[in-house]
Amino acid sequence: MGTYNPADVLHALPEIFLSVVAIVVLILSFAAPKQRGWIETVSIIGVVGTGILLVRAAVPLFEPGAAAVSVFSGSYLVDKFAIFFKVVFLLATLLVILMSIDYLPLVGAPIGEFYAILLFSTVGMMFVASGGNLLTLYIGLETMSISLYILCGFLKQEKKSSEAALKYLLMGAFSSGVILYGISLLYGLTGALGFSEIAATLATMDLGNPALLVAMVMLTAGFGFKIAAVPFHMYVPDVYEGAPTTVTAFLAVASEAAGVAALLRVFLGAMPHIQVDWTIMFWILSVLTMTIGNVAAMGQQNIKRMLAYSSIAHIGYVLIGFVAGAELGISAVLFYVLVYAFMTAGAFAMVVLLRTETVKGDLIEDFAGLGQAKPIAAAAMLVFLLSLTGIPPTAGFVGKFYIFGAAIKAGYVWLALIAVINTAISLFYYMRVAMVMYMHEPPKALVLSPSRPLHVAVAFAVLGTLIIGIYPGPFLEFAQASILGLLQ
């Protein structure tokens, strides 16, 4: 057991600052519940301020020869890998706040509590990314998950929202138990919780121990739920459909990114010596996840359910890079997570844009005639759909190019071929939305949300999707540099 060093606190300033802001937002929601504008502004300042503190912490890490910092007796890591994922979490949180400013009053959701819980969830994700041992990672996951259970049920007057929260809670509790069981087995075998200590102990052990295999399977199942991989995905369509749309966007982008970060930390950091075993398992999961996700998405009429199955399929693509491994495969995973954040958040922002007093905007048919009535909005949605499909010059194309390329270079040609076939399948349901937008007649009065923050979120997502697609170099270099923090 190490000693406590007060200076360690300085390394966790981004999380501390964001937690303080979340508490301030919560107090404001009780002290001045009718003062609209303050709570949203403070929340945005909190996210931007955390981003500035993050940049301050990141600058020394990107200097030549700089090494990762391990504090709090190794339970908290400050490395490029953590910085990368925290950037993704903060981007997603900022986009969701912008999307929610005028959406929440429209659907009758409590405002102050929403932003406070959203920020607490982001803090949990940041601890997941910086987790130096299984305990920190688990606490971060639970902080994130408990906040998300509450956010899913925020529309108490709607039966589907309550149902979504209950389903998510039950499945989340089950998966947390499974992860804990895996952690306890791993701790029992190695006597350590730190990733590097576990890896060092496993290197001296008999890797054929059945308990180690059970621990690996348990952790795969638990994290499989967190990232919505098949067959642990059954809750996803109902939760995505029932939750408030901005919460669904947060689930699809930030929550899944946190699950990927946890997966990479545990399997690459603690169990690299049994990579041959878990690679076979994730090869199968990847094929099942992208195939079932894409095939199920084809029959959906509700766009939130369609995007739910789409997100499942994209996790299948992410697992390809995980299977490929090495620097190329893992950096492709990180790059794809960043790309996915922009294009998926943008697609959900378009669903929010269609939400008015009379139209929910949840159905694909609600997009009918958008190309004629609102051509700029339709063009934005088309960019997101093209990127989700993987068509140039969008970010989605570059992301898939590097993921599939990493698989081929690692010798997983069949896996890359299956992914290409799945991409062709996805073209059907993404372009069905485009066809409805451009080839169906619009209703008499097609009204979009006048929310300026929402328009900013859509524009930001469009720019991110196009800029990364046209000029991916700096983003790829950022992803490649971030891997060094994980593979050191």
Side-chain angles (χ1 to χ4, degrees):
M1 181 70 69
T3 55
Y4 171 70
N5 181 1
D8 289 353
V9 175
L10 295 176
H11 293 287
L13 265 185
E15 285 86 351
I16 293 171
F17 177 75
L18 196 58
S19 300
V20 170
V21 172
I23 293 169
V24 170
V25 168
L26 197 58
I27 293 171
L28 275 176
S29 70
F30 291 110
K34 295 182 180 177
Q35 294 296 318
R36 282 215 56 207
W38 279 99
I39 293 172
E40 293 90 336
T41 305
V42 172
S43 301
I44 291 173
I45 290 172
V47 175
V48 174
T50 306
I52 293 170
L53 290 172
L54 199 61
V55 170
R56 178 180 164 276
V59 169
L61 291 174
F62 285 86
E63 292 177 355
V69 179
S70 175
V71 295
F72 296 117
S73 304
S75 61
Y76 181 93
L77 299 175
V78 183
D79 58 12
K80 295 170 188 172
F81 176 81
I83 297 292
F84 182 93
F85 273 97
K86 288 178 186 180
V87 168
V88 174
F89 301 150
L90 291 176
L91 272 174
T93 307
L94 185 61
L95 285 172
V96 169
I97 291 174
L98 292 172
M99 290 159 59
S100 303
I101 288 175
D102 290 301
Y103 172 78
L104 294 179
L106 187 66
V107 297
I111 294 171
E113 297 92 323
F114 178 90
Y115 294 109
I117 297 169
L118 186 74
L119 296 182
F120 280 128
S121 182
T122 307
V123 171
M125 293 171 187
M126 292 172 73
F127 273 109
V128 169
S130 272
N133 62 32
L134 290 167
L135 198 59
T136 308
L137 186 137
Y138 182 78
I139 291 171
L141 276 176
E142 286 306 289
T143 306
M144 173 193 81
S145 300
I146 292 169
S147 303
L148 290 173
Y149 303 148
I150 301 168
L151 289 176
C152 284
F154 238 60
L155 302 180
K156 289 183 287 187
Q157 70 279 15
E158 291 193 13
K159 186 181 173 185
K160 282 189 175 180
S161 181
S162 302
E163 183 185 335
L166 185 60
K167 282 185 178 177
Y168 197 32
L169 170 66
L170 293 174
M171 292 300 295
F174 176 74
S175 72
S176 293
V178 172
I179 290 175
L180 263 184
Y181 192 56
I183 288 175
S184 63
L185 276 175
L186 210 51
Y187 179 70
L189 283 168
T190 63
L193 286 171
F195 300 132
S196 54
E197 289 84 357
I198 292 172
T201 308
L202 287 181
T204 62
M205 287 177 54
D206 173 18
L207 299 179
N209 190 328
L212 181 60
L213 182 64
V214 174
M216 182 186 73
V217 171
M218 289 291 167
L219 290 171
T220 302
F223 290 124
F225 169 86
K226 298 297 180 188
I227 62 173
V230 173
F232 314 106
H233 69 292
M234 303 302 285
Y235 70 99
V236 174
D238 291 340
V239 172
Y240 276 36
E241 183 184 2
T245 306
T246 54
V247 175
T248 309
F250 194 62
L251 282 171
V253 177
S255 171
E256 292 207 358
V260 172
L263 189 75
L264 294 175
R265 278 278 190 215
V266 172
F267 281 84
L268 292 176
M271 297 190 285
H273 302 294
I274 52 172
Q275 186 165 358
V276 174
D277 297 319
W278 53 255
T279 293
I280 297 169
M281 197 163 53
F282 281 104
W283 191 101
I284 297 168
L285 286 182
S286 173
V287 172
L288 287 175
T289 302
M290 60 184 161
T291 304
I292 292 177
N294 279 317
V295 171
M298 292 172 69
Q300 303 303 318
Q301 300 301 320
N302 183 300
I303 196 159
K304 287 172 72 175
R305 291 185 74 89
M306 190 201 85
L307 289 173
Y309 283 110
S310 159
S311 72
I312 293 168
H314 282 276
I315 282 298
Y317 301 138
V318 167
L319 290 180
I320 294 174
F322 186 57
V323 169
E327 281 190 33
L328 186 60
I330 305 303
S331 61
V333 169
L334 265 65
F335 181 74
Y336 201 83
V337 166
L338 178 65
V339 166
Y340 177 76
F342 279 109
M343 59 192 184
T344 302
F348 278 108
M350 290 303 301
V351 178
V352 178
L353 194 65
L354 285 178
R355 182 70 161 90
T356 62
E357 293 282 356
T358 54
V359 178
K360 288 189 73 173
D362 287 1
L363 301 175
I364 293 174
E365 199 55 39
D366 291 333
F367 284 79
L370 192 66
Q372 297 176 40
K374 308 287 180 185
I376 296 176
M381 186 62 175
L382 186 61
V383 168
F384 300 133
L385 293 171
L386 291 174
S387 188
L388 286 164
T389 310
I391 294 176
T394 60
F397 168 75
V398 184
K400 284 186 178 177
F401 179 81
Y402 279 98
I403 286 268
F404 299 171
I408 292 170
K409 189 169 182 181
Y412 296 102
V413 179
W414 277 105
L415 187 58
L417 185 62
I418 293 169
V420 170
I421 294 170
N422 269 282
T423 298
I425 294 172
S426 72
L427 184 68
F428 170 80
Y429 61 85
Y430 288 132
M431 289 306 108
R432 183 157 63 97
V433 180
M435 185 193 73
V436 169
M437 286 196 303
Y438 287 100
M439 301 189 71
H440 286 197
E441 287 297 319
K444 288 182 180 177
L446 181 54
V447 180
L448 300 181
S449 168
S451 170
R452 287 185 180 178
L454 176 57
H455 292 175
V456 171
V458 172
F460 189 57
V462 168
L463 284 175
T465 305
L466 289 177
I467 289 173
I468 297 177
I470 295 167
Y471 188 56
F475 304 96
L476 272 168
E477 289 173 8
F478 182 30
Q480 287 164 350
S482 302
I483 284 305
L484 298 178
L486 185 67
L487 301 181
Q488 264 181 358

